[in-house]
Amino acid sequence: MIRKLLLTLIAPALLAACGTPAAGSAPSTAPTATVSATPSTTPTPTPTATPTPTPAPPRVAPTVFVANNMALGAVLVNSQGRTLYYFVPERGGRVVCTGQYTNAWPPLFSSSMAPSAGSALPGQLGVVARAGSEQITYNHWPLYTFAGDGGPDQTNGQGVFGFGGKWIVATPRLQP
């Protein structure tokens, strides 16, 4: 009872002290309210918790980019600038290039569960399970580099027939 009485007496004074007059306004000449010693029937509001903002997920460096090749135009490349290829028999994401073939055509593995793309990539990146790891796909095509490419901007694997199918440079227009 004493606690309610004290709150009733002190609360208006505390609330009035929290307000600040607006810039350029004169002090009020209105009469001040008197404090009554009778208990109030108005319930005291309960404070509500402010939600903690959710931290943004860490940024993952892009794993696939679009580069301009002198001979072929826009092509897909990895983070080292090496040309990416797809294998025609793997349409729909079915991996058939395995074993010794991966020495000549190393798969593009994902370092995270969600591969990311540079800003100019219109298609969809994904992953396909492969020997305990995840291989990056573009529009459901598993992606590879070619051991015969010595570095960036080389496309020596374009049109190669080998290991039971044809290898093609992946482009942004590659369809599923």
Side-chain angles (χ1 to χ4, degrees):
M1 177 72 178
I2 294 175
R3 184 184 234 171
K4 284 186 181 180
L5 180 61
L6 284 175
L7 275 174
T8 305
L9 293 173
I10 297 173
L14 288 175
L15 290 174
C18 291
T20 58
S25 66
S28 173
T29 57
T32 58
T34 57
V35 178
S36 169
T38 59
S40 172
T41 58
T42 307
T44 305
T46 57
T48 57
T50 304
T52 307
T54 306
R59 292 213 173 257
V60 177
T63 50
V64 177
F65 298 88
V66 176
N68 191 26
N69 177 273
M70 295 258 208
L72 301 174
V75 299
L76 302 186
V77 298
N78 67 7
S79 58
Q80 289 81 37
R82 294 182 57 110
T83 304
L84 296 174
Y85 298 86
Y86 67 96
F87 190 41
V88 174
E90 293 185 332
R91 180 175 207 90
R94 185 184 66 135
V95 174
V96 296
C97 179
T98 60
Q100 71 203 32
Y101 305 138
T102 60
N103 293 331
W105 298 95
L108 179 63
F109 287 111
S110 177
S111 58
S112 69
M113 291 305 287
S116 60
S119 61
L121 196 63
Q124 179 182 8
L125 288 178
V127 293
V128 62
R130 181 188 184 101
S133 191
E134 302 285 335
Q135 183 177 357
I136 297 175
T137 63
Y138 180 66
N139 288 341
H140 306 288
W141 288 93
L143 297 175
Y144 299 85
T145 56
F146 179 50
D149 288 344
D153 203 39
Q154 293 190 357
T155 57
N156 297 323
Q158 171 66 3
V160 169
F161 282 93
F163 308 112
K166 187 174 183 179
W167 294 88
I168 307 290
V169 169
T171 69
R173 296 179 313 277
L174 179 61
Q175 296 298 310

